[in-house]
Amino acid sequence: MESTTSPAAPHEPPHVYSNNGGYDASVEQEIPRTLATASATAAADADDSDLDDIFDDGDDDFGLGPDGEPDLARNYNRQKPLHPNQQKPAANTFNSIDDQISALSKHASKIRLDDVKERQAQDKDKSDRATSEQVLDQRTRMILYQMINRNVVSEVHGAISTGKEANVYGAVALAEDFSKVHRAVKVYKTAILSFKDRERYITGEHRFKSGADKGNNRKMVKLWAEKEFRNLRRIHAAGIPCPEPIQLKLHVLVMSFLGDRRGWAYPRLRDAVIPAEESEKIWSDLYIQLLGTMRRMYQVCKLVHADLSEYNILYHDKQLYIIDVSQSVEHDHPRSLEFLRMDIKNTGDFFRRQGVDTLADRVVFDFIIAPVGPVDQPGLEESIQQLYVSRSELATDEKAAAEAEVQNEVFRQQYIPQTLEQVYDIEKDAETIGHGEGDKLVYRNLLADQVVLPKTADEQASESDQSDEGAALNSEGSSDEESDDDESRFSKGTPRGKRFEDKDEKKQRKQAVKEAKSEKRKEKMPKHLKKRLVATTSRKKR
């Protein structure tokens, strides 16, 4: 009889478990179907993996997918665990750039960023180049500040005069005893140049050999200021009354002040106040004084003012002062004689308007350029008085005076050659010299006195006698001279040169030269003394 279990009976496990022994293997255990399938598959895979390990040659499929194409995700997942502790790069790129910039900061002044600045917005404005009174821009103010710091001047006051090329300002400097000394500061215009005809003054000037740099006004004005500074030094050294140049910095020139102690400048000759009771004598004396000054400038300073008029001459206490010599040229300038004639015309016209009996322009021109004659004041006045005396002897009537006036106008329009190569009508001038009128040529000073001066009666008689005697001798004894030719005239003399010198003479000559050199060495200054003298003089100049 079969026993049946009641459903309410307790469930007993199908296996037996013993302590320290585990489950009893004799008892069959039920394994779930899903687990049984998974375990079989795992066992098969384990067996295959064991075989794969045996036949593995180290080849890899390099992450190819089932279809033979690269599997990027698989490659990434495979390589990621290989470097779990991968570190960041030691160098920080941002910090490296900062380090380079800090290392190059000390060379920042040497880096040129002109091209970069051109592309960027400009920081400068037109106000930086703005000028007041046409001369005072930012650069000029910095030069004036520098002069104040160096005690060249201590104060700069208002404008004394304004011209077409520069403005002159009053200034005050402190002397060694702390007393005030007035100065004049001339500032040349660089922004607006109203002086447009500089070309005729520059052409032929050795300081402007390369010509005027029309594209750089500051460079040209700087040379113009240097020219006036040197001309003033030359005129002041010759003893001619003029401002004394003190210092030059680019286009700013500091000079001595021509005026009174209160700072009032001397008036121009045009604005001079002359007492009426003695005006005639004073104007006449000033005219003679000016002629002497022009001759002294030409002969001693080797300069022609080239812009001399009543506007460029100051007057004080019967004394004339020459100013504004920036356009003055050398006496060998291609147009120096033309400028001199213009100065004579301008000054002569002014003094004639003042009622002065002036000399003809040609007479004054010859007086100034004459190489022979006095150049000091006492002798100059006597020479000018002599010119007045000679003129009064020639001008006997009104007809002669009218002819002199015509000749004066012709001279003002006449071409003046600077050299003999510039003479354009040689035949006509030679004929004039042949008639004994060589003194009338405008370039008379370029010729020798024997050619220009008319020949005396004795010289003409002696020349005619010599020509007659020569003709008679040639006519009477021409055949005898042909037969009796003196061949000694064609004989060679002693050859010249040291090669053909006699031995004794050569020995004596060398001995004399040796003695002369030895005597010269006795008077020669020792080298160490010479160096010491040069060093002391150079320190004094500084």
Side-chain angles (χ1 to χ4, degrees), residues 22 37 47 51 57 63 76 82 94 132 155-156 180-181 204 219 222 268 301 304 308 358 363 434 437 440 467 521 539:
T37 304
D47 296 337
L51 295 175
D57 296 331
Y76 178 77
L82 296 178
F94 294 101
S132 60
E155 300 175 7
V156 179
K180 291 186 177 182
V181 180
K219 183 177 179 181
K222 177 177 176 292
R268 296 177 297 182
C301 305
V304 176
L308 192 63
T358 60
V363 176
E437 299 178 352
K440 295 182 179 180
S467 60
R521 283 194 295 270
R539 284 198 294 268

PDB file of all heavy atoms in Angstrom, residues 22 37 47 51 57 63 76 82 94 132 155-156 180-181 204 219 222 268 301 304 308 358 363 434 437 440 467 521 539:
ATOM      1  N   GLY A  22      30.169  19.788   4.168  1.00  0.00           N
ATOM      2  CA  GLY A  22      29.441  20.309   3.022  1.00  0.00           C
ATOM      3  C   GLY A  22      28.239  19.487   2.688  1.00  0.00           C
ATOM      4  O   GLY A  22      27.710  18.740   3.531  1.00  0.00           O
ATOM      5  N   THR A  37      21.692  25.243 -18.334  1.00  0.00           N
ATOM      6  CA  THR A  37      22.090  25.689 -19.694  1.00  0.00           C
ATOM      7  C   THR A  37      23.265  26.651 -19.626  1.00  0.00           C
ATOM      8  O   THR A  37      24.219  26.588 -20.383  1.00  0.00           O
ATOM      9  CB  THR A  37      20.906  26.357 -20.392  1.00  0.00           C
ATOM     10  OG1 THR A  37      19.805  25.453 -20.402  1.00  0.00           O
ATOM     11  CG2 THR A  37      21.253  26.734 -21.812  1.00  0.00           C
ATOM     12  N   ASP A  47      36.557  25.424 -21.964  1.00  0.00           N
ATOM     13  CA  ASP A  47      37.381  24.476 -22.728  1.00  0.00           C
ATOM     14  C   ASP A  47      38.004  25.131 -23.944  1.00  0.00           C
ATOM     15  O   ASP A  47      39.180  24.932 -24.273  1.00  0.00           O
ATOM     16  CB  ASP A  47      36.526  23.265 -23.129  1.00  0.00           C
ATOM     17  CG  ASP A  47      36.040  22.489 -21.901  1.00  0.00           C
ATOM     18  OD1 ASP A  47      36.712  22.626 -20.839  1.00  0.00           O
ATOM     19  OD2 ASP A  47      35.020  21.809 -22.033  1.00  0.00           O
ATOM     20  N   LEU A  51      42.044  26.014 -25.116  1.00  0.00           N
ATOM     21  CA  LEU A  51      42.640  25.691 -26.422  1.00  0.00           C
ATOM     22  C   LEU A  51      43.214  26.933 -27.090  1.00  0.00           C
ATOM     23  O   LEU A  51      44.265  26.884 -27.718  1.00  0.00           O
ATOM     24  CB  LEU A  51      41.577  25.028 -27.328  1.00  0.00           C
ATOM     25  CG  LEU A  51      41.057  23.643 -26.862  1.00  0.00           C
ATOM     26  CD1 LEU A  51      39.933  23.169 -27.778  1.00  0.00           C
ATOM     27  CD2 LEU A  51      42.203  22.626 -26.814  1.00  0.00           C
ATOM     28  N   ASP A  57      49.362  32.612 -31.030  1.00  0.00           N
ATOM     29  CA  ASP A  57      50.710  33.024 -31.504  1.00  0.00           C
ATOM     30  C   ASP A  57      51.017  34.488 -31.210  1.00  0.00           C
ATOM     31  O   ASP A  57      52.028  35.022 -31.689  1.00  0.00           O
ATOM     32  CB  ASP A  57      50.842  32.769 -33.006  1.00  0.00           C
ATOM     33  CG  ASP A  57      50.763  31.287 -33.339  1.00  0.00           C
ATOM     34  OD1 ASP A  57      51.158  30.502 -32.452  1.00  0.00           O
ATOM     35  OD2 ASP A  57      50.325  30.992 -34.456  1.00  0.00           O
ATOM     36  N   GLY A  63      41.296  44.910 -33.104  1.00  0.00           N
ATOM     37  CA  GLY A  63      40.004  45.532 -32.841  1.00  0.00           C
ATOM     38  C   GLY A  63      39.074  45.575 -34.019  1.00  0.00           C
ATOM     39  O   GLY A  63      38.330  46.531 -34.159  1.00  0.00           O
ATOM     40  N   TYR A  76      38.995  51.729 -27.969  1.00  0.00           N
ATOM     41  CA  TYR A  76      39.087  52.692 -26.882  1.00  0.00           C
ATOM     42  C   TYR A  76      38.910  52.011 -25.527  1.00  0.00           C
ATOM     43  O   TYR A  76      39.636  52.281 -24.570  1.00  0.00           O
ATOM     44  CB  TYR A  76      38.031  53.782 -27.069  1.00  0.00           C
ATOM     45  CG  TYR A  76      38.013  54.801 -25.964  1.00  0.00           C
ATOM     46  CD1 TYR A  76      38.959  55.795 -25.882  1.00  0.00           C
ATOM     47  CD2 TYR A  76      37.036  54.743 -24.966  1.00  0.00           C
ATOM     48  CE1 TYR A  76      38.953  56.727 -24.859  1.00  0.00           C
ATOM     49  CE2 TYR A  76      37.012  55.660 -23.937  1.00  0.00           C
ATOM     50  CZ  TYR A  76      37.969  56.645 -23.888  1.00  0.00           C
ATOM     51  OH  TYR A  76      37.949  57.548 -22.872  1.00  0.00           O
ATOM     52  N   LEU A  82      44.624  50.334 -19.718  1.00  0.00           N
ATOM     53  CA  LEU A  82      46.088  50.175 -19.713  1.00  0.00           C
ATOM     54  C   LEU A  82      46.784  51.301 -18.959  1.00  0.00           C
ATOM     55  O   LEU A  82      47.890  51.138 -18.475  1.00  0.00           O
ATOM     56  CB  LEU A  82      46.609  50.096 -21.144  1.00  0.00           C
ATOM     57  CG  LEU A  82      46.120  48.883 -21.952  1.00  0.00           C
ATOM     58  CD1 LEU A  82      46.656  48.932 -23.370  1.00  0.00           C
ATOM     59  CD2 LEU A  82      46.545  47.574 -21.262  1.00  0.00           C
ATOM     60  N   PHE A  94      49.587  77.666 -20.949  1.00  0.00           N
ATOM     61  CA  PHE A  94      49.285  79.059 -20.603  1.00  0.00           C
ATOM     62  C   PHE A  94      50.389  79.655 -19.751  1.00  0.00           C
ATOM     63  O   PHE A  94      50.829  80.798 -19.967  1.00  0.00           O
ATOM     64  CB  PHE A  94      47.939  79.131 -19.873  1.00  0.00           C
ATOM     65  CG  PHE A  94      46.781  78.748 -20.742  1.00  0.00           C
ATOM     66  CD1 PHE A  94      46.216  77.499 -20.650  1.00  0.00           C
ATOM     67  CD2 PHE A  94      46.264  79.646 -21.671  1.00  0.00           C
ATOM     68  CE1 PHE A  94      45.147  77.143 -21.453  1.00  0.00           C
ATOM     69  CE2 PHE A  94      45.190  79.296 -22.471  1.00  0.00           C
ATOM     70  CZ  PHE A  94      44.630  78.039 -22.382  1.00  0.00           C
ATOM     71  N   SER A 132      51.066 127.159 -31.236  1.00  0.00           N
ATOM     72  CA  SER A 132      50.572 128.489 -30.912  1.00  0.00           C
ATOM     73  C   SER A 132      51.578 129.500 -31.412  1.00  0.00           C
ATOM     74  O   SER A 132      52.790 129.294 -31.277  1.00  0.00           O
ATOM     75  CB  SER A 132      50.376 128.631 -29.392  1.00  0.00           C
ATOM     76  OG  SER A 132      51.604 128.426 -28.717  1.00  0.00           O
ATOM     77  N   GLU A 155      63.629 132.440 -17.573  1.00  0.00           N
ATOM     78  CA  GLU A 155      62.253 132.807 -17.891  1.00  0.00           C
ATOM     79  C   GLU A 155      62.170 133.101 -19.385  1.00  0.00           C
ATOM     80  O   GLU A 155      63.133 133.571 -19.990  1.00  0.00           O
ATOM     81  CB  GLU A 155      61.811 134.050 -17.110  1.00  0.00           C
ATOM     82  CG  GLU A 155      61.860 133.898 -15.602  1.00  0.00           C
ATOM     83  CD  GLU A 155      61.526 135.201 -14.900  1.00  0.00           C
ATOM     84  OE1 GLU A 155      61.133 136.152 -15.604  1.00  0.00           O
ATOM     85  OE2 GLU A 155      61.667 135.268 -13.670  1.00  0.00           O
ATOM     86  N   VAL A 156      61.014 132.822 -19.965  1.00  0.00           N
ATOM     87  CA  VAL A 156      60.737 133.143 -21.369  1.00  0.00           C
ATOM     88  C   VAL A 156      59.491 134.013 -21.393  1.00  0.00           C
ATOM     89  O   VAL A 156      58.428 133.604 -20.902  1.00  0.00           O
ATOM     90  CB  VAL A 156      60.541 131.873 -22.216  1.00  0.00           C
ATOM     91  CG1 VAL A 156      60.233 132.243 -23.666  1.00  0.00           C
ATOM     92  CG2 VAL A 156      61.784 130.987 -22.156  1.00  0.00           C
ATOM     93  N   LYS A 180      69.843 139.664 -13.099  1.00  0.00           N
ATOM     94  CA  LYS A 180      69.098 139.288 -14.291  1.00  0.00           C
ATOM     95  C   LYS A 180      69.762 139.861 -15.543  1.00  0.00           C
ATOM     96  O   LYS A 180      70.127 141.032 -15.577  1.00  0.00           O
ATOM     97  CB  LYS A 180      67.655 139.785 -14.194  1.00  0.00           C
ATOM     98  CG  LYS A 180      66.830 139.053 -13.143  1.00  0.00           C
ATOM     99  CD  LYS A 180      65.378 139.478 -13.200  1.00  0.00           C
ATOM    100  CE  LYS A 180      64.544 138.687 -12.197  1.00  0.00           C
ATOM    101  NZ  LYS A 180      63.115 139.055 -12.266  1.00  0.00           N
ATOM    102  N   VAL A 181      69.899 138.998 -16.532  1.00  0.00           N
ATOM    103  CA  VAL A 181      70.470 139.379 -17.827  1.00  0.00           C
ATOM    104  C   VAL A 181      69.441 139.027 -18.893  1.00  0.00           C
ATOM    105  O   VAL A 181      68.939 137.905 -18.939  1.00  0.00           O
ATOM    106  CB  VAL A 181      71.800 138.639 -18.103  1.00  0.00           C
ATOM    107  CG1 VAL A 181      72.357 139.051 -19.452  1.00  0.00           C
ATOM    108  CG2 VAL A 181      72.794 138.902 -16.990  1.00  0.00           C
ATOM    109  N   GLY A 204      74.011 126.149 -54.257  1.00  0.00           N
ATOM    110  CA  GLY A 204      75.393 126.614 -54.248  1.00  0.00           C
ATOM    111  C   GLY A 204      75.995 126.713 -52.864  1.00  0.00           C
ATOM    112  O   GLY A 204      77.206 126.917 -52.741  1.00  0.00           O
ATOM    113  N   LYS A 219      64.140 119.138 -40.776  1.00  0.00           N
ATOM    114  CA  LYS A 219      65.546 118.971 -41.124  1.00  0.00           C
ATOM    115  C   LYS A 219      66.087 120.205 -41.830  1.00  0.00           C
ATOM    116  O   LYS A 219      67.199 120.663 -41.553  1.00  0.00           O
ATOM    117  CB  LYS A 219      65.712 117.740 -42.006  1.00  0.00           C
ATOM    118  CG  LYS A 219      67.143 117.419 -42.363  1.00  0.00           C
ATOM    119  CD  LYS A 219      67.228 116.151 -43.187  1.00  0.00           C
ATOM    120  CE  LYS A 219      68.680 115.853 -43.554  1.00  0.00           C
ATOM    121  NZ  LYS A 219      68.766 114.618 -44.392  1.00  0.00           N
ATOM    122  N   LYS A 222      66.408 123.079 -39.358  1.00  0.00           N
ATOM    123  CA  LYS A 222      67.546 122.852 -38.467  1.00  0.00           C
ATOM    124  C   LYS A 222      68.845 123.332 -39.133  1.00  0.00           C
ATOM    125  O   LYS A 222      69.665 124.018 -38.509  1.00  0.00           O
ATOM    126  CB  LYS A 222      67.632 121.372 -38.117  1.00  0.00           C
ATOM    127  CG  LYS A 222      68.826 120.994 -37.257  1.00  0.00           C
ATOM    128  CD  LYS A 222      68.775 119.517 -36.903  1.00  0.00           C
ATOM    129  CE  LYS A 222      70.013 119.096 -36.117  1.00  0.00           C
ATOM    130  NZ  LYS A 222      71.236 119.146 -36.966  1.00  0.00           N
ATOM    131  N   ARG A 268      63.824 149.135 -34.992  1.00  0.00           N
ATOM    132  CA  ARG A 268      64.392 148.945 -36.322  1.00  0.00           C
ATOM    133  C   ARG A 268      64.753 150.292 -36.923  1.00  0.00           C
ATOM    134  O   ARG A 268      64.247 151.338 -36.513  1.00  0.00           O
ATOM    135  CB  ARG A 268      63.405 148.215 -37.226  1.00  0.00           C
ATOM    136  CG  ARG A 268      63.080 146.802 -36.767  1.00  0.00           C
ATOM    137  CD  ARG A 268      62.040 146.174 -37.659  1.00  0.00           C
ATOM    138  NE  ARG A 268      60.776 146.901 -37.587  1.00  0.00           N
ATOM    139  CZ  ARG A 268      59.675 146.544 -38.250  1.00  0.00           C
ATOM    140  NH1 ARG A 268      59.698 145.462 -39.022  1.00  0.00           N
ATOM    141  NH2 ARG A 268      58.566 147.244 -38.136  1.00  0.00           N
ATOM    142  N   CYS A 301      84.547 138.990 -43.089  1.00  0.00           N
ATOM    143  CA  CYS A 301      83.707 137.829 -42.793  1.00  0.00           C
ATOM    144  C   CYS A 301      83.457 136.951 -44.003  1.00  0.00           C
ATOM    145  O   CYS A 301      82.963 135.823 -43.849  1.00  0.00           O
ATOM    146  CB  CYS A 301      82.362 138.283 -42.222  1.00  0.00           C
ATOM    147  SG  CYS A 301      82.485 139.340 -40.775  1.00  0.00           S
ATOM    148  N   VAL A 304      77.886 137.914 -47.568  1.00  0.00           N
ATOM    149  CA  VAL A 304      76.952 138.895 -48.124  1.00  0.00           C
ATOM    150  C   VAL A 304      75.624 138.694 -47.416  1.00  0.00           C
ATOM    151  O   VAL A 304      75.124 137.560 -47.322  1.00  0.00           O
ATOM    152  CB  VAL A 304      76.793 138.715 -49.645  1.00  0.00           C
ATOM    153  CG1 VAL A 304      75.751 139.680 -50.190  1.00  0.00           C
ATOM    154  CG2 VAL A 304      78.120 138.922 -50.352  1.00  0.00           C
ATOM    155  N   LEU A 308      69.512 142.655 -46.788  1.00  0.00           N
ATOM    156  CA  LEU A 308      69.774 143.847 -45.979  1.00  0.00           C
ATOM    157  C   LEU A 308      68.790 144.946 -46.366  1.00  0.00           C
ATOM    158  O   LEU A 308      68.663 145.310 -47.540  1.00  0.00           O
ATOM    159  CB  LEU A 308      71.213 144.317 -46.193  1.00  0.00           C
ATOM    160  CG  LEU A 308      71.733 145.368 -45.225  1.00  0.00           C
ATOM    161  CD1 LEU A 308      71.768 144.837 -43.803  1.00  0.00           C
ATOM    162  CD2 LEU A 308      73.129 145.829 -45.641  1.00  0.00           C
ATOM    163  N   THR A 358      73.197 160.026 -51.629  1.00  0.00           N
ATOM    164  CA  THR A 358      73.812 158.700 -51.725  1.00  0.00           C
ATOM    165  C   THR A 358      74.692 158.591 -52.961  1.00  0.00           C
ATOM    166  O   THR A 358      74.552 159.361 -53.923  1.00  0.00           O
ATOM    167  CB  THR A 358      72.731 157.611 -51.781  1.00  0.00           C
ATOM    168  OG1 THR A 358      71.900 157.834 -52.933  1.00  0.00           O
ATOM    169  CG2 THR A 358      71.878 157.637 -50.530  1.00  0.00           C
ATOM    170  N   VAL A 363      79.199 152.560 -57.942  1.00  0.00           N
ATOM    171  CA  VAL A 363      80.337 153.055 -57.152  1.00  0.00           C
ATOM    172  C   VAL A 363      80.419 152.302 -55.821  1.00  0.00           C
ATOM    173  O   VAL A 363      81.500 151.883 -55.381  1.00  0.00           O
ATOM    174  CB  VAL A 363      80.213 154.578 -56.933  1.00  0.00           C
ATOM    175  CG1 VAL A 363      81.328 155.088 -56.028  1.00  0.00           C
ATOM    176  CG2 VAL A 363      80.243 155.320 -58.261  1.00  0.00           C
ATOM    177  N   GLY A 434      90.399 147.422 -75.220  1.00  0.00           N
ATOM    178  CA  GLY A 434      91.324 148.013 -76.193  1.00  0.00           C
ATOM    179  C   GLY A 434      91.184 149.517 -76.307  1.00  0.00           C
ATOM    180  O   GLY A 434      92.169 150.226 -76.571  1.00  0.00           O
ATOM    181  N   GLU A 437      88.797 151.483 -71.826  1.00  0.00           N
ATOM    182  CA  GLU A 437      87.635 151.631 -70.964  1.00  0.00           C
ATOM    183  C   GLU A 437      87.365 150.348 -70.168  1.00  0.00           C
ATOM    184  O   GLU A 437      86.219 150.028 -69.854  1.00  0.00           O
ATOM    185  CB  GLU A 437      86.406 151.989 -71.800  1.00  0.00           C
ATOM    186  CG  GLU A 437      86.548 153.305 -72.552  1.00  0.00           C
ATOM    187  CD  GLU A 437      85.345 153.605 -73.414  1.00  0.00           C
ATOM    188  OE1 GLU A 437      84.479 152.691 -73.524  1.00  0.00           O
ATOM    189  OE2 GLU A 437      85.262 154.709 -73.973  1.00  0.00           O
ATOM    190  N   LYS A 440      85.251 150.194 -66.876  1.00  0.00           N
ATOM    191  CA  LYS A 440      83.794 150.249 -66.879  1.00  0.00           C
ATOM    192  C   LYS A 440      83.148 148.862 -66.805  1.00  0.00           C
ATOM    193  O   LYS A 440      81.936 148.772 -66.641  1.00  0.00           O
ATOM    194  CB  LYS A 440      83.296 150.966 -68.140  1.00  0.00           C
ATOM    195  CG  LYS A 440      83.707 152.435 -68.208  1.00  0.00           C
ATOM    196  CD  LYS A 440      83.142 153.084 -69.457  1.00  0.00           C
ATOM    197  CE  LYS A 440      83.530 154.569 -69.524  1.00  0.00           C
ATOM    198  NZ  LYS A 440      82.981 155.215 -70.740  1.00  0.00           N
ATOM    199  N   SER A 467     108.237 147.693 -81.633  1.00  0.00           N
ATOM    200  CA  SER A 467     107.668 147.055 -82.811  1.00  0.00           C
ATOM    201  C   SER A 467     108.367 147.518 -84.083  1.00  0.00           C
ATOM    202  O   SER A 467     108.638 146.731 -84.993  1.00  0.00           O
ATOM    203  CB  SER A 467     106.173 147.344 -82.903  1.00  0.00           C
ATOM    204  OG  SER A 467     105.963 148.750 -82.998  1.00  0.00           O
ATOM    205  N   ARG A 521     113.870 119.397 -34.336  1.00  0.00           N
ATOM    206  CA  ARG A 521     113.540 118.509 -33.229  1.00  0.00           C
ATOM    207  C   ARG A 521     113.887 119.114 -31.881  1.00  0.00           C
ATOM    208  O   ARG A 521     113.271 118.789 -30.866  1.00  0.00           O
ATOM    209  CB  ARG A 521     114.266 117.169 -33.400  1.00  0.00           C
ATOM    210  CG  ARG A 521     113.635 116.252 -34.430  1.00  0.00           C
ATOM    211  CD  ARG A 521     114.175 114.835 -34.293  1.00  0.00           C
ATOM    212  NE  ARG A 521     115.589 114.774 -34.602  1.00  0.00           N
ATOM    213  CZ  ARG A 521     116.092 114.549 -35.815  1.00  0.00           C
ATOM    214  NH1 ARG A 521     115.273 114.379 -36.840  1.00  0.00           N
ATOM    215  NH2 ARG A 521     117.389 114.501 -36.016  1.00  0.00           N
ATOM    216  N   ARG A 539      89.139 120.495 -21.608  1.00  0.00           N
ATOM    217  CA  ARG A 539      88.293 120.637 -20.413  1.00  0.00           C
ATOM    218  C   ARG A 539      87.788 122.057 -20.248  1.00  0.00           C
ATOM    219  O   ARG A 539      86.683 122.292 -19.788  1.00  0.00           O
ATOM    220  CB  ARG A 539      89.089 120.209 -19.173  1.00  0.00           C
ATOM    221  CG  ARG A 539      89.234 118.690 -19.025  1.00  0.00           C
ATOM    222  CD  ARG A 539      89.633 118.320 -17.612  1.00  0.00           C
ATOM    223  NE  ARG A 539      90.967 118.800 -17.282  1.00  0.00           N
ATOM    224  CZ  ARG A 539      92.072 118.088 -17.452  1.00  0.00           C
ATOM    225  NH1 ARG A 539      91.994 116.868 -17.979  1.00  0.00           N
ATOM    226  NH2 ARG A 539      93.260 118.571 -17.137  1.00  0.00           N
TER     227      ARG A 539
END
